[in-house]
Amino acid sequence: MANMNLLQAINNALDIAMASNDKVICFGEDVGVFGGVFRATSHLQEKYGRDRCFNTPLVEQGIIGFANGLAAQGSVPVAEIQFADYIFPAFDQIVNEAAKFRYRSGNLFNVGGLTIRTPYGGGIAGGLYHSQSPEAYFAHTPGLKIVVPRNPHQAKGLLLASIRDPNPVLFFEPKRIYRASVGEVPEEDYELPLGQAEILQEGEDISLLAWGAQMETVEKAAAMAQKEGISCEVIDLRTIVPWDIETVTRSVMKTGRLIVSHEAPLTGGFAGEIAATIQERCFLYLESPIARVTGLDTPFPLVLEKEYMPDHLKIFEAIKQSVNF
């Protein structure tokens, strides 16, 4: 085991992927000698050369269009969008091209080798253009997988699995914990399964569900609830699409309550999809309405970032309301 932060784990995963498969290529804005704006691709160009790790122009639509072309020809592109807030110029290439390549050809060709990495989320005083959580936009698109790690061990295993998955994958990296999340990570090659949630803490009274950096916030709220005698089951979804309906369903059938939390705004957030599905499956088991603790329906604020974020205090209040319903 090595002690790594989340950035180092991502860099290690990219290194292993490139070493084990000559077809893996990393590219994006400033990812070469500079190593990316957060240094996630540090030393990869030095180690594998300019043909396999290189800078692109500042044109997101072009980055993903180029990646689609490479993937369609059998390469394994790992494209970086410097901030998730800037993924929208590439929206058409992702939802109309990458997601539909296999379907429209009757599986004669595909871009399954494509992985798109991008830092997302708030908590860094980045303001409205460096703080957004756009995962729900893409969850509406059949043909894509969406993955979000919560710590270094998860980041390495999930990224290696994403790169090797036979479908295009959007890999959202919670930048707030890039350096703050530190833990032991196996130095060898390993993968973690996509589409499988993880129960971090068993509980009896209420289920708490989140992903990415929000997991730390949920765990803080669960610890506060424990002091009040409330037993929380904490679940990391890990994969947004496909999401692990069975694990969440079993948990809610046991606890009778569910809170879903994410940084993205409430309206149209993925918590709404989870809530609708779980009430269909668990209606007769529910002791209280499914609650959502999320960001606000406003542009992401700079000065009022703390007020915007769904912090542990907001989740704790929602836990008490649900249990005392």
Side-chain angles (χ1 to χ4, degrees), residues 7 13 22 29 59 72 79 82 88 110 127 131 189 194 216 234 237 254 281 311 323:
L7 268 177
D22 290 341
E29 297 165 8
V59 51
Q82 196 168 82
F88 299 112
N110 66 79
S131 304
D189 189 334
L194 305 187
E216 180 185 8
V234 179
L237 197 58
K254 177 176 68 171
R281 295 191 172 217
D311 64 13
V323 169

Side-chain angles (χ1 to χ4, degrees), residues 303-322:
V303 176
L304 299 175
E305 181 174 55
K306 277 191 173 183
E307 285 71 18
Y308 176 94
M309 295 290 279
D311 64 13
H312 61 291
L313 298 175
K314 292 178 183 178
I315 297 171
F316 179 51
E317 288 302 316
I319 292 170
K320 291 190 291 184
Q321 288 176 16
S322 181

